[in-house]
Amino acid sequence: MAGIALLTSLMDISTANNTVAIVTAAPLARDISREYGISGKITASLLDTSSCIVQGIIPYGAQLLVAASIMQISSMSILPYLFYSYVLAVFVTVTIWRAGKTGSEALNS
């Protein structure tokens, strides 16, 4: 699960586009999920959530650039106030850690 999240995050950092990151990472994520017995629902959720976290944090992402241009400030100055992205990252990390401790079967049910 961590590999799927990391793969999607790196794709989003590279492309700065959620959709492109998900479409690019999905075939590899499907192979990983089949090999390790992760359900399709969890895989899709990891793809979407991890790309949203990264997209919300990167200063060159569309969301921050638009917000910064509206406020006429630097997109870097917004980073300390991105509470939603940071909290979401914590919850995804805890979920992945918990699944690793209990086995992904617990999440698949």
Side-chain angles (χ1 to χ4, degrees):
M1 291 174 67
I4 293 169
L6 181 63
L7 171 68
T8 309
S9 298
L10 291 174
M11 293 290 185
D12 200 287
I13 289 169
S14 300
T15 62
N17 185 305
N18 288 39
T19 305
V20 173
I22 292 169
V23 169
T24 306
L28 291 170
R30 182 184 59 232
D31 293 343
I32 293 168
S33 65
R34 285 180 181 164
E35 184 174 335
Y36 291 97
I38 302 167
S39 77
K41 291 178 185 178
I42 291 174
T43 302
S45 179
L46 285 170
L47 286 165
D48 180 53
T49 307
S50 58
S51 70
C52 287
I53 291 168
V54 172
Q55 187 66 30
I57 293 174
I58 55 175
Y60 51 89
Q63 292 89 334
L64 285 184
L65 291 176
V66 169
S69 68
I70 290 170
M71 298 301 294
Q72 297 180 344
I73 57 175
S74 162
S75 61
M76 294 295 287
S77 65
I78 300 172
L79 292 178
Y81 305 102
L82 301 175
F83 302 114
Y84 175 76
S85 294
Y86 300 140
V87 170
L88 190 58
V90 168
F91 277 97
V92 168
T93 303
V94 168
T95 300
I96 292 171
W97 175 78
R98 189 177 134 248
K101 298 284 276 182
T102 61
S104 62
E105 301 83 27
L107 292 175
N108 288 330
S109 57

